[in-house]
Structure formats: structure tokens, C-alpha cells
Amino acid sequence: MLLSNIYIFLVGFTDCLFFKVSWSTSKFSLEGDYLLGGLFALHDIEHETTLFSAEPTECFRHSPSKSGYQMLQVMRFAVEEINNSTTLLPNVSLGYEIFDHCSNIKNLNTVLNLISKNGSIKPKEKLNNYQPKVIALTGPYGSSKTITIAPLITVDLIPMVNYGATSYALSNKLQYPSFVRTIPSNKDLIEMIIHIIRWFGWNWVAFLGSQDDYSTDGLKLFNKYINNTGICLAYQEGLSLNANYSLTLKKIDKLKINVIVVFALPQYASKIIKAAIANNIQDKVWIASQAWAMNQQVPRQPGIRKIGTIIGITERLLSLPGFNEFVYKVNGITDVGYNDRAETGILGMRKTCNQDCDYCSLLTAEEIINENPTFSFAIYSAIYTIAHALHKVLQCDMNECHKNTMAKPYMLLKEIRKLDFPLNGRQVKYNDNYDPTISYAVVLWRTDVNPPQFEMVGTYDTHPEITFSIDNSLMPWHNNGSVPFSNCSVECKAGYSRRTEGFHSCCFSCKKCPPNNYVDFSRDLYTCFPCAESEWSEEGSTTCNIRSVLYPQFTEIPSIIVMVSAACLIILLSVIFCIFAYYYDTPVVKSAGGSMCFLMLISLILSCISVFFFFGKPTFTFCLLRNAIFTFFYTVCISCLTVRSFQIVCVFKMAAQFPKVHSLWVKHNGQWLFIAFSSFLHLISCVVWMTVDPVKLVVDTWTYKDQLMLICERGNTITFTIVVFISWFLGFLCLLFSYMGRDLPKNYNEAKSITFSLLLYYLTWIAYFTAYLTTKSKYIIILNAIAQISSINGILFSYFIPKSYIIIFQPQKNTPAYFQTSIQNYTQTISRT
């Protein structure tokens, strides 16, 4: 209802709607089977009031725009070319109705003229019944002008194929369902600008725009898309035409911003550049948006070279074959608007309808051809888009179109979405938002030549795939040929993380990462990440190195020596076992302990086996067996030695003094009971040691920065101490009894051998534990194995080897008579004392 009222209100103030005249020779109109509307700014209004007024604007009273007239000629050229085609619309002619659309808010009369039907508008009429004056239209130039009139046009689903409105808001099909554009949106343009900024490594930039929909939309998108790109918007401002440009540029210069994005219409960009020249702003990089990237007047400003390098973004320029000839052909024809207006008698109305152009006939063909070509292909493809859609609706073939087929504007809109056709070497197609494929060019302003030139130095395409590149060799930077610096802080060196300073993330100091930490720029520039336990790094690193794993391997020479020694010990003990078994009934074997010797030898053999668990990659099982086996069986052997020492003392010294105790000891096999009790007690302590907080494999990550050492923990300290205490206490008793029997008969005197073996046992393990507590190395593990072998060797070479030597090499001493003589000599010696 509201929109209907607006329509009716506006129609009441529109003269052109009720004025019909045929201008067959006019450059503004052409008869045809289907009319196209065209809106071009042939004049510019610098200071336009926003106050609503029903009185339409007379465009010819304002500043002329040569580029607008060139755009008009491109549309006329495209229509003529299509009408001359025998394949696109074979038997159908296109006409047009063109208006000078100079105002944002006071040209609504011309728009209403285009969408009227027989001079009137019926807002509530169904789309199937409504046939407006034009079947589609192109224009106007500029986002603000387009957003103002788009609701009037799109409400009836009339295709509005625009060539010069880039606001991303127009891609919203809920608000602008029939808006189509042949020029990329601000979103694409902003993404292109960000590509350029990142290409050269800048992150400290300013964004200057104007107070209109074009710049406001661009600034909003720029702020959105620089997130997570490392770019900081150090300064932003939307300028009016009467703003203090000098003050703005001085602020930018004070902030040491060397890259300035000027996202504004040409009149604003011109004022910015002029202010930069006047205020001696030097050595900056200016990024020109598409609206003024190919402007013909700004590059000619005196002193423009000193302000720095100007990079423009524009659509990939394509030539229009035949356009120059067309301009030369029609340039001699005088505009109807410039003819003797008195003849018409309707001068006021024709001016009001904005189809007058006083200066147009004064322009030479060269002036028209050399104007800014930025939007030429966009206009050209807009007209061809409408023609191709009409081709589909009319079901045309190579020879004719079905002219009796009803063609409504909304039907064209449906076909436009499906279009995909080549045009002058470029593919024309649209996405779901009716936005085109992108084919941008990066142009460098060569202001060092006369006349100034625009040199293409880079490209950005999205079809058939996304590609972006700039030829750095073509960039003659103002800074002695090197890329200008525009960063808040100097980039951190490798191995340094950032520490934010101030509000902007681009302003930071650098901190060197400590050892075993690294910085990954692709992951996070502000964090030193710790290396994993299996990795290491030096100070100031960008990656972590894999640590080598340390443990005694089977193939190492020290390991081989220890294992060979253990194997030899096992063989030697086995041989002695056999000797003692063979000579079991001899005095030497019986005096050594008889059957107890076999228990001792078996215990020593089993103790040797534990040595082999010290080599190779340790596991939980290896950690349990390497010390538990030795500790238990060696303690069994020591308990046997203790009992053996006690028995000798008891027989020679205590039997006479304590006969009852001796008899009970002999009667109940006290030696075996003691061995069984002490062994069982030690076994229980070992089981508790292995089950309560058991020995476990530990990865030592702290001893060496570049190596991991696999070690076996000792387990619970208390239980381990109990296990060691039992073993060492039995050894102490053994030493005590041996000392008591130091004066016994020579054949029974084991004091020296037992003392030697136990002292070696104690000293070996004291040395090992000292090294274990003070030194961290994989060789400590080998030292543990050596300590076990040393302990076994002590008993073997001091106790069993001498006896085996007597059995083999001194058999005369292995007789009952010899042992009886020794006892008698000991008895006589005792009786004398």
C-alpha cells in the first residue's frame, strides 16, 4: 500500500509521463520491437540537496560529464550491433529510451517514464498483464542512485542490468529481486584490494572514502574481510566534498601510514589527490578503487609524481571492435536536444525529461574514444545480456524469432540466471545473486610520461578458477625500486614471537622463544609453543627436532662384553656344579657345605640370567626381572654362606659350650630352616616391592635436551630399602661369623674368602648407588649389570674356585686323613692355650 501511494504521488508530479513525442533521429531514443531503458549521468551535481522536492532536476544546468556521454554511445553501439546481427535476434529490432540521470533523488520522473504503460502506472496489476514501456533497462551509474530507484523497478521484476553500481547490498535478492549487474560488487573489489596489500606484505593502511553508499559499503566490507589477514586499518574516514582534506592527510602522515586505499567516487578522489600534492605528501602508495582507477583528469594534475605510486583496480579492459568507427560515424549528427529548441515549442518539457545535452555535439570523436573506458565492456555486456535473454524467451533460432511469443520482463529475468555465452573473448555468466564472473586488472599509473598512461601489471580472475598475480618487475617503486614499507612494526625474525603493544595487533615487539619451545607463523604469531616430550629445540627455533632414544642396545660393544662375561660365568658355574656333583663324597665338597653348595651354585647361575634383561629396549617386564631375579637369588646364596659360617663356628667353638643348642640345631636341620625362613622373608619383601608401587619404565626427558633416556624406576623407596636391608643384613651376619672363625683349621677357615667376597659385594653396590645418584647416563644401566657380575664373581672366585682347584689339581689335600690331621693340629693348639 505504501509503495502504491508513493507511485501515485510521484506520477502526479511527472510531466514526461503524459508527454508523447517521437524522436526518431535523437541520440536518446530509437524505435524498435522491444525498448530498452538507459540511464547515464551526462551531467554531475556536486552539491545535491537531500531535501525532498517534487520538482525534477534539469540536468543540463549542471557540470558536463564526458565519460557519461561515452557510456551512452557504448549502449547505442551495442544496440546497433545487435540489430545488425542475423543470428542473435534475426527478425526482431531493439529500441531504446535514454535519459540523463544526474541526480540521486530528483530524476524519478525519468524512471517512472520507463516503467509506465501507455503513460500510466498501475502498481497492483499482475505481472502477467503488465507490460511496461521498456522490457529491461541498464544503469544508472553509482550505487546511491541505483539504490534509490531500484525498488521502483524491481517491484515489477523488470530486469535492471546495471553497469556501474557495486554496492554489495544490491546482491540481496530479497530486497532487489531483479537487479543484475555486469560489474563486480564491492565485495569482490575489496577482496582484490586485500590481495594486493597482502601480496606486498603491508599491514598498516588507511582507508579513505566518501559519505555515500558506495564508500560506506566498501568500508564495512573492508573491516569485515581483513579479519584474520594480519592487516590493520590504522585510519579510516568518510569525507564530504567540503571536508578538510589537508587535515586528514596530515593525520595519516603522522601515523606513518604509507599505503592509502581511496575507495571513493572520482570527484572525491580528485580532491584527495589535489590535497596530497598541495600538502607535499610524498612517497605513499595509493590504491585506487574501480570508480576512479582509469580517470583521465587526475593523472594530469601537476606535481602528482611526487606523491608516490598509484595503483588502480579496474575490470580487465577489452576493446570493442567497431566502436571507434561507430563514434566517428555518429559524431557528426547533432543531438536533438542541441537543435533549435524553439521549433519544438515544448522546450521546458524536453529539458525536464533530461534528454538534452548541449556539450555533446561539441565533443570530437577522439575525446569520446579517449575517455575512461572502465565501464565500456560492462555496458556492452549489459545490453548483450538483455538480448541473449530475449533470444531465449522468443525461442529464436539462427533464422528467426517467434515474435508472437509473449515476452514479459520477468521472463527475461529467469533466462538471465542461466546465461553463459562468450563475448569478445570473455565468458558472460551470473551466479545466484546475478553477479558476474570477475576479471580484474591491476593498473599502474605511469605519470612519468606525457600523456599519462595506465600499464597493466597484474590480474585477478575467478573463471575458470581463481588466480591472482602481479608482475613485480613492472613496478618502478618510488622508494629506489624497493617495495615501500607500510607496517606498524618490523616483522619478527624467525624464532621470535610477537608481543602486542597498543590497540592494533600489527603493533608489537619481538620475544625470542626459550629452549624446547618454537614459534609457528602459520599457526600463531604470538605464541611460543612447547615441544612435545619426544622433541627438543634450541632457543629461538621455528621447529622441534626429534629426540634420539637412549638405552643400551644389544649390538653395542659394552653390552656385548657384559653379556659375554655373564655367559662365561654361567658356563663356569655350571662346570663347577658338575665337578662338585662328581666329587660330592670328598672332604672338600662336604667341608664347603655339601648339598648346600648346589643351592648356592644354582642361585648364582640364576642371578647371572638377570644380566641379559639390561639390554635392548626396556619394557615393563624387563624392568621387573633385571633386578628382582638377582636380588632374590643372590640373597639366597648369601643366606647359605651365613649358615655355612655359623655351622663351622658352632661345631668348633659352641658345641662344647652349648651342647643342647647344637644338638637341637643338628636334630632339626637348623641350617635349612634358617635358609628357608630368610629366603621366604626376602621373597615376600620382593613381591611387595614389585606389586606396591612397582618398578616402571620412565622416559627421562630432563637429563639431555636432545635425547630421551629410557630408565627403570626403583619403585617404592620403603619396600626397596627393606629388600636391600635384608640382603645386606645377612651379609653382615656372614661377615661376623666368618670373623669369629678366623682361627679355625685351615681346611675349614673361610673367613678370608667370605670376607673378600662380601667386601667386594658391598663396595661394588656402594659405588653403583653413588654413581646412580650423581650421574645420569645410559651407561649407569650397564654399570648395574657389572655390579651384579662383580658380586657373583666375588663368591665364585673366593669360595668355589679355590676348592675346585684343590679337587682338580691337589687331590692329596682332598682326603679324610688330611682333614683329620688339620683338626688334630687345631685341637692341640687350643689345648695349649
Side-chain angles (χ1 to χ4, degrees):
M1 178 63 69
L2 178 62
L3 189 57
S4 300
N5 293 335
I6 294 174
Y7 271 147
I8 295 169
F9 175 74
L10 292 173
V11 168
F13 293 97
T14 306
D15 297 322
C16 289
L17 222 57
F18 305 103
F19 177 71
K20 303 175 185 177
V21 61
S22 175
W23 292 331
S24 59
T25 61
S26 173
K27 295 179 182 178
F28 289 95
S29 62
L30 177 70
E31 292 183 351
D33 295 324
Y34 294 94
L35 285 183
L36 307 182
L39 298 175
F40 301 95
L42 302 182
H43 297 85
D44 291 327
I45 301 178
E46 289 195 1
H47 301 285
E48 183 173 8
T49 177
T50 58
L51 182 64
F52 178 80
S53 172
E55 182 181 355
T57 295
E58 296 177 337
C59 292
F60 77 95
R61 299 187 182 278
H62 300 280
S63 302
S65 172
K66 289 190 289 185
S67 62
Y69 184 66
Q70 184 211 45
M71 296 178 191
L72 178 147
Q73 295 290 17
V74 173
M75 176 179 175
R76 296 180 63 213
F77 165 69
V79 171
E80 181 177 293
E81 197 174 65
I82 292 169
N83 286 338
N84 292 333
S85 171
T86 59
T87 57
L88 186 54
L89 295 172
N91 58 332
V92 173
S93 64
L94 293 180
Y96 51 75
E97 192 76 25
I98 300 174
F99 290 95
D100 183 0
H101 194 82
C102 61
S103 172
N104 183 26
I105 58 176
K106 295 187 178 181
N107 277 158
L108 297 180
N109 56 333
T110 60
V111 177
L112 295 174
N113 186 302
L114 294 175
I115 65 175
S116 65
K117 178 181 180 182
N118 297 324
S120 64
I121 296 175
K122 298 179 180 180
K124 292 185 179 180
E125 190 167 353
K126 293 182 179 180
L127 293 176
N128 289 336
N129 301 326
Y130 187 63
Q131 184 72 50
K133 185 175 185 178
V134 296
I135 197 167
L137 63 87
T138 185
Y141 172 72
S143 297
S144 295
K145 294 176 182 177
T146 302
I147 290 173
T148 301
I149 67 170
L152 301 177
I153 299 169
T154 60
V155 71
D156 291 323
L157 295 183
I158 301 172
M160 186 180 186
V161 188
N162 191 278
Y163 60 85
T166 59
S167 174
Y168 188 55
L170 291 164
S171 294
N172 187 340
K173 295 302 108 179
L174 294 177
Q175 293 183 342
Y176 308 100
S178 67
F179 178 82
V180 184
R181 60 176 141 215
T182 57
I183 188 172
S185 69
N186 282 346
K187 172 182 173 293
D188 304 311
L189 183 57
I190 290 298
E191 288 180 344
M192 176 64 170
I193 291 172
I194 293 173
H195 274 301
I196 294 174
I197 293 172
R198 298 188 70 184
W199 179 275
F200 294 111
W202 299 317
N203 64 20
W204 195 239
V205 300
F207 191 102
L208 298 181
S210 46
Q211 297 176 351
D212 50 40
D213 293 315
Y214 173 72
S215 295
T216 302
D217 187 54
L219 178 59
K220 180 181 176 181
L221 291 169
F222 189 78
N223 275 301
K224 177 181 178 181
Y225 286 108
I226 61 173
N227 286 334
N228 302 319
T229 62
I231 299 172
C232 292
L233 185 53
Y235 186 87
Q236 57 182 334
E237 187 172 357
L239 300 166
S240 63
L241 285 172
N242 57 356
N244 190 336
Y245 290 79
S246 298
L247 180 60
T248 297
L249 292 172
K250 287 177 181 178
K251 290 179 181 178
I252 293 173
D253 200 42
K254 187 175 181 180
L255 290 171
K256 298 181 180 179
I257 303 170
N258 291 326
V259 174
I260 305 170
V261 178
V262 181
F263 201 96
L265 297 176
Q267 58 267 38
Y268 296 89
S270 177
K271 286 181 174 290
I272 293 171
I273 297 301
K274 288 178 181 178
I277 297 171
N279 288 274
N280 199 29
I281 303 296
Q282 298 183 5
D283 299 336
K284 303 293 184 185
V285 176
W286 306 81
I287 300 179
S289 65
Q290 187 172 8
W292 66 285
M294 298 288 288
N295 189 278
Q296 302 297 310
Q297 287 72 43
V298 176
R300 291 176 167 83
Q301 293 294 327
I304 194 172
R305 288 186 60 186
K306 67 179 182 180
I307 69 171
T309 303
I310 301 178
I311 302 171
I313 301 171
T314 184
E315 271 209 282
R316 191 82 63 82
L317 301 181
L318 294 176
S319 61
L320 302 180
F323 176 67
N324 293 354
E325 291 78 5
F326 172 81
V327 173
Y328 280 110
K329 180 183 72 174
V330 302
N331 195 50
I333 302 175
T334 306
D335 272 348
V336 171
Y338 187 71
N339 288 342
D340 187 6
R341 297 190 183 96
E343 295 178 4
T344 66
I346 50 174
L347 176 62
M349 286 186 179
R350 292 178 62 186
K351 288 179 181 177
T352 301
C353 289
N354 289 320
Q355 290 186 312
D356 294 313
C357 184
D358 292 342
Y359 72 91
C360 294
S361 61
L362 303 177
L363 296 175
T364 64
E366 287 76 9
E367 286 181 292
I368 299 171
I369 293 170
N370 293 330
E371 259 305 310
N372 183 358
T374 299
F375 300 96
S376 296
F377 184 79
I379 298 167
Y380 187 71
S381 60
I383 304 304
Y384 266 89
T385 294
I386 297 170
H388 274 272
L390 189 60
H391 176 96
K392 296 287 186 181
V393 171
L394 297 178
Q395 302 175 13
C396 301
D397 54 27
M398 298 295 291
N399 299 314
E400 65 174 352
C401 297
H402 295 83
K403 299 183 69 172
N404 58 344
T405 301
M406 180 180 63
K408 298 289 185 180
Y410 71 89
M411 296 179 180
L412 270 68
L413 192 65
K414 180 181 178 182
E415 297 299 333
I416 288 174
R417 187 188 295 269
K418 305 175 186 176
L419 291 180
D420 187 358
F421 62 91
L423 185 64
N424 281 19
R426 184 180 299 177
Q427 205 68 18
V428 178
K429 61 183 300 186
Y430 302 92
N431 61 19
D432 292 340
N433 293 327
Y434 292 107
D435 289 335
T437 56
I438 301 164
S439 185
Y440 274 129
V442 182
V443 294
L444 174 70
W445 285 27
R446 298 298 303 272
T447 56
D448 56 333
V449 296
N450 191 19
Q453 296 179 1
F454 303 96
E455 181 180 4
M456 189 172 77
V457 295
T459 58
Y460 176 59
D461 295 284
T462 59
H463 183 80
E465 61 182 2
I466 297 176
T467 58
F468 172 75
S469 65
I470 293 179
D471 190 344
N472 293 340
S473 64
L474 297 177
M475 302 295 296
W477 296 107
H478 56 269
N479 189 26
N480 298 323
S482 60
V483 179
F485 180 81
S486 187
N487 301 71
C488 183
S489 301
V490 178
E491 196 63 43
C492 292
K493 297 179 181 178
Y496 287 76
S497 64
R498 294 180 179 180
R499 179 182 293 173
T500 303
E501 293 183 349
F503 175 77
H504 293 284
S505 61
C506 297
C507 303
F508 51 83
S509 59
C510 299
K511 178 185 177 184
K512 198 172 188 178
C513 286
N516 293 326
N517 286 263
Y518 71 101
V519 61
D520 184 355
F521 288 168
S522 63
R523 182 179 173 189
D524 187 354
L525 298 170
Y526 298 88
T527 304
C528 288
F529 297 98
C531 295
E533 285 193 351
S534 59
E535 299 174 333
W536 71 282
S537 69
E538 296 284 1
E539 183 182 20
S541 296
T542 56
T543 57
C544 292
N545 305 309
I546 301 298
R547 291 187 177 188
S548 58
V549 181
L550 288 182
Y551 57 86
Q553 299 185 19
F554 288 108
T555 55
E556 294 182 17
I557 293 178
S559 302
I560 294 173
I561 293 173
V562 173
M563 287 188 291
V564 169
S565 299
C568 292
L569 268 179
I570 292 173
I571 295 171
L572 186 57
L573 288 167
S574 300
V575 170
I576 293 174
F577 184 93
C578 294
I579 292 173
F580 272 52
Y582 187 78
Y583 293 98
Y584 178 75
D585 293 325
T586 61
V588 171
V589 175
K590 291 185 179 296
S591 66
S595 58
M596 196 179 297
C597 292
F598 300 117
L599 178 60
M600 294 170 63
L601 288 168
I602 291 173
S603 297
L604 293 177
I605 290 172
L606 292 175
S607 297
C608 285
I609 293 175
S610 67
V611 172
F612 296 98
F613 295 107
F614 283 93
F615 307 101
K617 189 173 184 178
T619 61
F620 174 73
T621 303
F622 275 37
C623 288
L624 283 177
L625 297 178
R626 62 171 51 170
N627 280 306
I629 292 177
F630 171 81
T631 301
F632 174 70
F633 286 107
Y634 192 80
T635 302
V636 171
C637 183
I638 290 179
S639 65
C640 292
L641 282 177
T642 302
V643 168
R644 174 64 186 145
S645 300
F646 174 77
Q647 279 185 311
I648 294 173
V649 173
C650 183
V651 168
F652 285 97
K653 292 191 176 183
M654 299 178 64
Q657 298 178 10
F658 305 100
K660 292 183 179 181
V661 175
H662 180 262
S663 62
L664 287 173
W665 177 269
V666 173
K667 181 180 179 180
H668 296 287
N669 292 317
Q671 70 273 19
W672 293 111
L673 288 175
F674 180 82
I675 292 171
F677 173 76
S678 60
S679 299
F680 178 75
L681 181 64
H682 195 259
L683 177 64
I684 294 299
S685 65
C686 286
V687 171
V688 173
W689 176 35
M690 292 292 107
T691 54
V692 178
D693 192 12
V695 173
K696 65 182 75 171
L697 177 64
V698 175
V699 180
D700 181 350
T701 62
W702 55 89
T703 300
Y704 301 103
K705 67 177 182 180
D706 57 345
Q707 295 174 327
L708 294 174
M709 191 162 59
L710 302 183
I711 59 176
C712 295
E713 275 191 341
R714 292 294 177 187
N716 187 275
T717 304
I718 297 175
T719 55
F720 175 70
T721 303
I722 293 173
V723 169
V724 173
F725 174 77
I726 293 173
S727 179
W728 285 31
F729 179 72
L730 288 173
F732 173 75
L733 289 179
C734 185
L735 277 175
L736 180 62
F737 292 139
S738 297
Y739 178 77
M740 292 171 63
R742 66 187 183 281
D743 56 348
L744 294 178
K746 184 177 180 182
N747 288 20
Y748 294 90
N749 192 341
E750 308 291 347
K752 291 182 180 179
S753 60
I754 292 175
T755 301
F756 173 79
S757 62
L758 290 177
L759 284 177
L760 182 62
Y761 168 68
Y762 286 130
L763 292 174
T764 298
W765 286 102
I766 289 173
Y768 165 71
F769 282 118
T770 301
Y772 175 80
L773 295 173
T774 57
T775 307
K776 297 295 182 181
S777 170
K778 72 174 184 178
Y779 295 106
I780 292 295
I781 301 173
I782 297 178
L783 185 60
N784 192 350
I786 293 174
Q788 292 186 6
I789 292 175
S790 178
S791 300
I792 296 169
N793 280 332
I795 297 176
L796 175 63
F797 285 95
S798 65
Y799 191 85
F800 287 103
I801 292 296
K803 299 183 185 308
S804 299
Y805 180 79
I806 292 174
I807 292 172
I808 301 300
F809 297 105
Q810 294 180 341
Q812 68 277 9
K813 295 182 179 181
N814 190 17
T815 60
Y818 182 81
F819 275 79
Q820 189 64 34
T821 301
S822 297
I823 295 173
Q824 290 175 356
N825 292 335
Y826 174 75
T827 305
Q828 291 175 359
T829 303
I830 293 296
S831 63
R832 292 194 195 99
T833 58

